[in-house]
Amino acid sequence: MSKAYMVTEGRDYYQEMLRLGQDHTGRVRASSSRSRPRKVRIREYKIPDLNADPCLDMDEEETGEVVVGFRPQDADYSLNVPQLPYELEFLNKRFSRLLKEGKIFKVRRDRGVVEPFVFMRSTGDTSWTMFDKDFENYKNVPMLPLPPDSSFFLGDKESLCAGTHLIVTGNEGESIALWRYELETSQWFKGPAMITPRVLFASATFGTVAFVAGGLKMYGDTSKEVVNGAEKYDSVTKTWTRLQGMNKRRQFCSGCYLRGKFYVLGGKDENDNNLTCGERYDEGTDTWELIPDILKDASFSSIQSPPLIAVVNDNLYSLETSANELRVYDTNANAWKKLGDVPVRAKSSGGWGVAFKSLGDKLLVIGASAGPSRTEKMSVYTCCPSADPENKLVWEESKRSCDVQLNHFILNCCVMIA
């Protein structure tokens, strides 16, 4: 099987999987009856252009029979056969095996044809919803295999992505538990736990790995400790590695991966004081560099969320919640430049309930609309930002997401690049 074939089949499989919603098995529905012949149209298949649109064509005729084919084609044959041809059956089994082994996604990464998927959970949701980058297709992620009255199920949770893994952490009784969802198999697994389990930490994703730093370590019901420890998760080996600790202890902080380094901004120290400094981690030297006053102009309130930050095209952007305003960081001046308004209401909740993420070469913001209608439904906006304040911001609202009934208050949101 060529790499080009594996890459394109992987892309087509997940676009079709998202379109089908709940049906994530990847199996073609077929009748078990052998009493009547099935009509299967077999078309000549060529290795497609990786830059072309998905070409998997799966239709169902009025008779309820399944028609399987590929576009483009040079020949169109109609055969009456009693069951799926052996070659197609073998191909489906082989593809499923390669998918579960993670080889499809590895080839995609090696060839640079990855794309973002958005995992999100809002108030009232019992499971995550997975969207494609255009919010045109979606599917419900299977629920966690936990009883609905468990403390982990009911409590606050945090999420991040690494490779094809969605990592979710939260309190489970007197401890902190971690669950991972694997895209290849669409299944949940418990662990592996962090070396230092924590909540309220900063995180950032880089390819198949994720970095975490800071947070709150809990001992039983009452004892808590703000930490400065850092770790790295490798989704290929499913292991955590301890990193050098930060200069400052901090919780309620935010992280990003910028120009080859892991940044941690803001948060509160062990005395509950707001931190205006940041730090950046160099994996090559396993060292942290303090960045004084990177948030010196930020506004703080009693209900303030962790900083809302995102990286697009090697530029760091923030959503200043006190003004519903987009800003960009000037590394040389250690200052933030104002770029314009953001079309969601972040001020009233101190930034809580708003998703602000990078989505390839775009910024993604989700929340309650700040427009004249001020509806309480979930609104999704994207823009291609410019670091030049002279360039006007153009936000585009995704109308396709209106078919999804989610609350406007977003509890968890993270972007998977797979």
Side-chain angles (χ1 to χ4, degrees):
M1 182 179 295
S2 70
K3 288 188 175 181
Y5 179 83
M6 291 166 63
V7 170
T8 306
E9 284 298 283
R11 179 186 62 192
D12 294 345
Y13 175 87
Y14 272 98
Q15 289 190 349
E16 182 67 12
M17 183 186 71
L18 286 172
R19 186 184 68 79
L20 293 175
Q22 295 284 359
D23 185 10
H24 54 269
T25 62
R27 296 191 294 269
V28 178
R29 292 172 304 212
S31 172
S32 60
S33 173
R34 295 173 180 255
S35 61
R36 61 176 183 175
R38 296 181 58 208
K39 181 180 179 183
V40 179
R41 204 159 51 233
I42 304 175
R43 300 169 180 168
E44 182 178 350
Y45 176 68
K46 295 183 179 181
I47 299 298
D49 182 356
L50 293 179
N51 296 316
D53 291 333
C55 60
L56 183 61
D57 183 17
M58 302 177 66
D59 301 311
E60 193 166 314
E61 296 182 332
E62 292 182 0
T63 61
E65 300 295 335
V66 179
V67 179
V68 180
F70 294 94
R71 297 193 306 263
Q73 72 279 351
D74 297 321
D76 192 347
Y77 305 96
S78 293
L79 300 177
N80 288 323
V81 293
Q83 57 186 352
L84 192 67
Y86 171 77
E87 291 83 358
L88 294 182
E89 183 177 358
F90 172 78
L91 176 63
N92 184 57
K93 289 181 179 178
R94 187 175 183 185
F95 173 77
S96 297
R97 176 174 59 81
L98 292 172
L99 180 67
K100 291 179 180 179
E101 292 175 352
K103 293 181 180 179
I104 297 292
F105 290 102
K106 182 180 185 303
V107 172
R108 285 165 59 86
R109 289 194 300 270
D110 292 344
R111 295 181 67 89
V113 293
V114 294
E115 56 186 313
F117 296 97
V118 180
F119 287 81
M120 193 163 57
R121 187 175 72 95
S122 65
T123 297
D125 293 339
T126 56
S127 64
W128 273 257
T129 303
M130 174 184 172
F131 297 87
D132 67 4
K133 62 182 177 63
D134 298 316
F135 283 79
E136 183 175 9
N137 302 299
Y138 72 96
K139 72 180 289 284
N140 292 327
V141 174
M143 290 181 60
L144 279 162
L146 289 169
D149 59 347
S150 69
S151 57
F152 187 91
F153 192 89
L154 297 174
D156 293 336
K157 289 173 278 291
E158 298 179 66
S159 60
L160 62 140
C161 289
T164 55
H165 292 182
L166 167 65
I167 304 296
V168 180
T169 65
N171 293 330
E172 187 174 62
E174 297 181 359
S175 62
I176 297 172
L178 182 148
W179 288 82
R180 76 178 188 279
Y181 170 77
E182 296 187 0
L183 186 61
E184 295 93 336
T185 60
S186 191
Q187 290 181 314
W188 287 98
F189 302 89
K190 193 167 186 179
M194 294 184 192
I195 300 172
T196 303
R198 67 194 78 190
V199 293
L200 305 177
F201 53 85
S203 66
T205 300
F206 177 62
T208 58
V209 303
F211 298 88
V212 301
L216 187 67
K217 181 180 179 181
M218 306 178 70
Y219 306 88
D221 290 333
T222 58
S223 183
K224 303 176 182 179
E225 179 187 2
V226 179
V227 300
N228 67 337
E231 303 178 28
K232 180 180 73 171
Y233 175 71
D234 188 328
S235 62
V236 177
T237 61
K238 301 175 185 177
T239 57
W240 290 91
T241 303
R242 192 187 303 275
L243 307 176
Q244 181 67 33
M246 296 185 293
N247 296 284
K248 298 280 189 181
R249 296 173 181 264
R250 58 181 83 212
Q251 60 175 323
F252 287 106
C253 44
S254 296
C256 65
Y257 197 83
L258 173 64
R259 300 174 188 176
K261 296 183 180 181
F262 172 36
Y263 279 66
V264 177
L265 304 186
K268 295 185 176 184
D269 64 14
E270 62 271 30
N271 299 314
D272 205 35
N273 295 318
N274 291 313
L275 294 169
T276 60
C277 62
E279 304 191 37
R280 54 180 162 234
Y281 174 74
D282 187 328
E283 189 175 11
T285 59
D286 192 26
T287 57
W288 288 89
E289 177 187 359
L290 198 65
I291 311 172
D293 297 326
I294 189 172
L295 296 178
K296 62 180 181 294
D297 297 327
S299 298
F300 299 100
S301 69
S302 59
I303 61 169
Q304 186 66 44
S305 72
L308 300 178
I309 57 176
V311 173
V312 173
N313 296 329
D314 277 344
N315 287 311
L316 175 59
Y317 295 88
S318 73
L319 196 170
E320 175 54 47
T321 59
S322 64
N324 268 36
E325 187 175 66
L326 182 66
R327 298 181 180 182
V328 63
Y329 179 61
D330 186 333
T331 307
N332 297 325
N334 191 28
W336 295 86
K337 298 178 181 178
K338 300 178 181 180
L339 297 178
D341 295 334
V342 175
V344 298
R345 304 201 305 272
K347 182 178 180 180
S348 58
S349 60
W352 295 104
V354 174
F356 182 72
K357 301 291 178 179
S358 59
L359 193 66
D361 60 353
K362 296 181 180 181
L363 280 175
L364 169 70
V365 61
I366 308 173
S369 175
S373 62
R374 297 179 65 86
T375 59
E376 295 301 323
K377 68 178 182 65
M378 180 189 75
S379 296
V380 179
Y381 298 90
T382 59
C383 79
C384 295
S386 170
D388 186 353
E390 298 298 321
N391 294 331
K392 183 180 178 181
L393 282 175
V394 178
W395 293 95
E396 295 184 1
E397 184 176 7
S398 174
K399 299 295 186 182
R400 299 164 180 163
S401 63
C402 295
D403 295 334
V404 184
Q405 300 299 317
L406 295 181
N407 191 289
H408 70 276
F409 196 92
I410 308 302
L411 296 175
N412 300 102
C413 181
C414 57
V415 177
M416 178 184 291
I417 306 296

